[in-house]
Amino acid sequence: MSFQRRIELFYDVVSPYSYFAFETILRYCSHHQIELSLRPFFLGGVMQAAGNKPPGLVPSKGKYMLKDLNRLQDYFGVHPLKYPSRFPINTLPAQRTLAALNLAGRKEEGPLAIKLWEYYWGQDQDISNLEVIQKALEAVGISSEEAVKILATISSDEVKEAIKKTTEEAVKRGAFGAPTMFVFSEDGKKEEMFFGSDRFHILFPKIGVKWTGPNPKESKM
């Protein structure tokens, strides 16, 4: 597979725009040969390093975000979505859990991310709570016993270092928020960064895929 059909997605489940981006990319992957590389990072660390602030902490941005999410959930077909009572929330335990699955090459990373988004942005559940995270692990097909073992690893040096390195790498490459995506030139030597969930009409043509909206039909350039 050529490098130009690869998308690298840095994400955090506290970000609803990462949710929109992830769902959209998955839909395009089902129609085109696109390699999606998931990179769970800690958005709080990225924000701090970049001198950025969550929109909820800026009154005018927070007010706009409420209206924006109502529009975008219809546009992207991601329902239901509502502003959680705890925002922003500490997603470090959740992101470390995703990082643990990523390190192990587990196929459940993507489904778990979606489940955590559903819990937080759809059901207003406290995804900083390990019991809620365990419930999400079990909901994607992981046994209760195995879920406990996975959660036991998130305080390990290996997992902590993994999420730290991914966060630092993202900042070094220019990230200041989530979602942050990278696409690559055909020879893999050049990368181009995209931020947010509203640049797919530019991003997909960069990898030779026609943008046909958030719910694509099979269409190639």
Side-chain angles (χ1 to χ4, degrees):
M1 186 178 295
S2 66
F3 282 95
Q4 68 175 145
R5 284 290 178 92
R6 177 183 168 213
I7 300 175
E8 196 173 5
L9 172 64
F10 289 81
Y11 72 97
D12 188 313
V13 293
V14 76
S15 162
Y17 300 101
S18 293
Y19 190 10
F20 299 142
F22 188 36
E23 287 281 9
T24 301
I25 294 170
L26 286 181
R27 293 168 189 167
Y28 274 78
C29 285
S30 70
H31 289 290
H32 303 274
Q33 290 185 330
I34 301 171
E35 177 188 351
L36 174 59
S37 177
L38 296 177
R39 306 295 305 277
F41 68 176
F42 182 47
L43 183 55
V46 173
M47 290 276 190
Q48 184 176 18
N52 201 355
K53 290 183 179 180
L57 298 184
V58 180
S60 57
K61 285 186 178 181
K63 186 177 180 180
Y64 174 80
M65 187 176 176
L66 284 170
K67 296 179 180 178
D68 197 38
L69 292 180
N70 286 331
R71 290 190 297 238
L72 291 179
Q73 67 174 318
D74 292 332
Y75 177 71
F76 286 103
V78 177
H79 300 97
L81 215 65
K82 58 185 179 182
Y83 207 85
S85 59
R86 310 167 190 86
F87 183 79
I89 196 170
N90 177 22
T91 56
L92 195 52
Q95 294 303 111
R96 284 178 177 169
T97 304
L98 290 162
L101 295 181
N102 187 285
L103 279 172
R106 299 279 303 243
K107 64 180 181 180
E108 296 94 346
E109 181 193 349
L112 178 64
I114 291 174
K115 185 57 64 178
L116 289 169
W117 272 310
E118 290 175 351
Y119 279 3
Y120 184 53
W121 285 99
Q123 303 173 23
D124 196 19
Q125 295 197 46
D126 182 1
I127 59 169
S128 67
N129 187 305
L130 293 183
E131 291 182 0
V132 173
I133 298 173
Q134 180 176 341
K135 183 173 66 173
L137 285 164
E138 294 173 10
V140 298
I142 295 174
S143 69
S144 176
E145 182 179 353
E146 193 174 6
V148 170
K149 291 179 180 179
I150 291 169
L151 288 175
T153 70
I154 70 172
S155 58
S156 69
D157 290 340
E158 181 184 18
V159 172
K160 286 181 178 179
E161 188 65 18
I163 200 80
K164 179 183 177 184
K165 283 186 175 180
T166 304
T167 301
E168 290 175 345
E169 177 192 337
V171 172
K172 185 176 181 180
R173 291 167 67 182
F176 53 87
T180 296
M181 294 158 284
F182 292 90
V183 297
F184 302 85
S185 61
E186 190 171 357
D187 60 9
K189 294 181 179 179
K190 293 182 180 180
E191 65 181 28
E192 191 164 349
M193 188 182 94
F194 289 86
F195 167 73
S197 58
D198 57 351
R199 296 292 185 272
F200 287 122
H201 60 294
I202 303 173
L203 182 153
F204 279 112
K206 291 285 184 179
I207 58 173
V209 174
K210 184 178 181 180
W211 170 251
T212 58
N215 290 290
K217 295 179 180 179
E218 191 164 359
S219 176
K220 298 182 180 180
M221 294 186 72

